[in-house]
């Protein structure tokens, strides 16, 4: 059985959503971010990213990580590409060319979008969105996202998903990266195709199941 290490309120959400999409059994091992704890090394601290038992799984001390049999993988987006390849179905590539596109869009999400979407969510996590510095940081991130979203907007013209007419792991990966910046409504209002696309992705039953569990976790 697949084991996913990490709480739902982390990048592990991507892997939990993917497992739900695939309909595969999985075990969830909650591992909280050490930064959320006053003393993560305390003997009574919950399992966290500084705990020895988790560092034995991922020495980088980052969530998520997964175990699938003897295979251990880190990096949430790469994990999803692996799961798509292993279990197949409509979320995976049907041809070598489609596999290339899935990888391209996933790497594009990681390099062209995530640095800026994460910058925004961190400002909110620190409750700085209404400070001058926070507003300036959000403005910079949104300006940096304009070109990538312009490209995505054009690509989605006349098609529902990144590869055309079906939802794939690339849509899931990119939608999760962009979720961090959905607080900035104007960014999506100015990109109608992107807004409709992400709403379509997030209307899926597997996404709703993931979010329902996420909502029950402490903030």
């Amino acid at each position: 059985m697949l084991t996913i290490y990490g709480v739902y309120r982390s990048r592990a959400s991507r892997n939990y959503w993917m497992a739900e999409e695939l309909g595969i059994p999985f075990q969830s091992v909650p591992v909280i971010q050490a930064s959320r704890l006053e003393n993560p090394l305390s003997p009574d601290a919950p399992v966290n990213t500084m705990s020895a038992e988790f560092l034995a799984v991922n020495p980088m001390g980052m969530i998520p990580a997964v175990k699938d049999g003897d295979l251990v993988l880190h990096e949430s987006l790469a994990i999803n590409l692996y799961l798509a390849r292993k279990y197949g179905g409509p979320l995976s590539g049907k041809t070598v060319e489609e596999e290339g596109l899935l990888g391209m869009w996933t790497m594009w999400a990681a390099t062209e979008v995530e640095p800026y979407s994460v910058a925004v969510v961190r400002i909110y996590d620190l409750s700085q969105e209404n400070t001058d510095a926070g507003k300036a940081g959000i403005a910079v991130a949104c300006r940096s996202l304009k070109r990538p979203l312009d490209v995505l907007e054009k690509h989605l013209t006349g098609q529902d998903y990144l590869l055309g007419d079906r939802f794939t792991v690339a849509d899931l990966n990119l939608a999760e990266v962009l979720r961090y910046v959905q607080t900035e409504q104007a960014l999506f209002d100015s990109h109608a195709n992107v807004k409709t696309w992400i709403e379509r992705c997030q209307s899926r039953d597997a996404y709703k199941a993931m979010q329902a569990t996420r909502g029950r976790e402490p903030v």
Side-chain angles (χ1 to χ4, degrees), residues 112-134:
E112 303 298 332
V113 178
E114 190 163 37
Y116 311 112
S117 64
V118 166
V120 170
V121 81
R122 283 177 175 163
I123 290 170
Y124 280 87
D125 285 346
L126 294 171
S127 299
Q128 295 178 348
E129 66 273 17
N130 293 319
T131 67
D132 289 343

Side-chain angles (χ1 to χ4, degrees), residues 13-14 22 61 74 99 130 146 168 210 214:
S13 62
R14 305 163 182 181
L22 295 171
H74 317 139
E99 287 285 346
N130 293 319
K146 183 181 182 305
T168 68
M210 178 275 288
R214 185 176 182 273

Side-chain angles (χ1 to χ4, degrees), residues 8 62 78 105 108 117 156 171 181:
Y8 280 69
M62 300 289 288
W105 281 111
W108 186 82
S117 64
L156 289 170
D171 295 286
V181 77

Side-chain angles (χ1 to χ4, degrees), residues 77-92:
L77 300 177
I79 290 167
N80 279 354
L81 290 174
Y82 160 76
L83 292 174
R85 179 74 179 271
K86 177 172 182 176
Y87 292 98
L91 271 70
S92 65

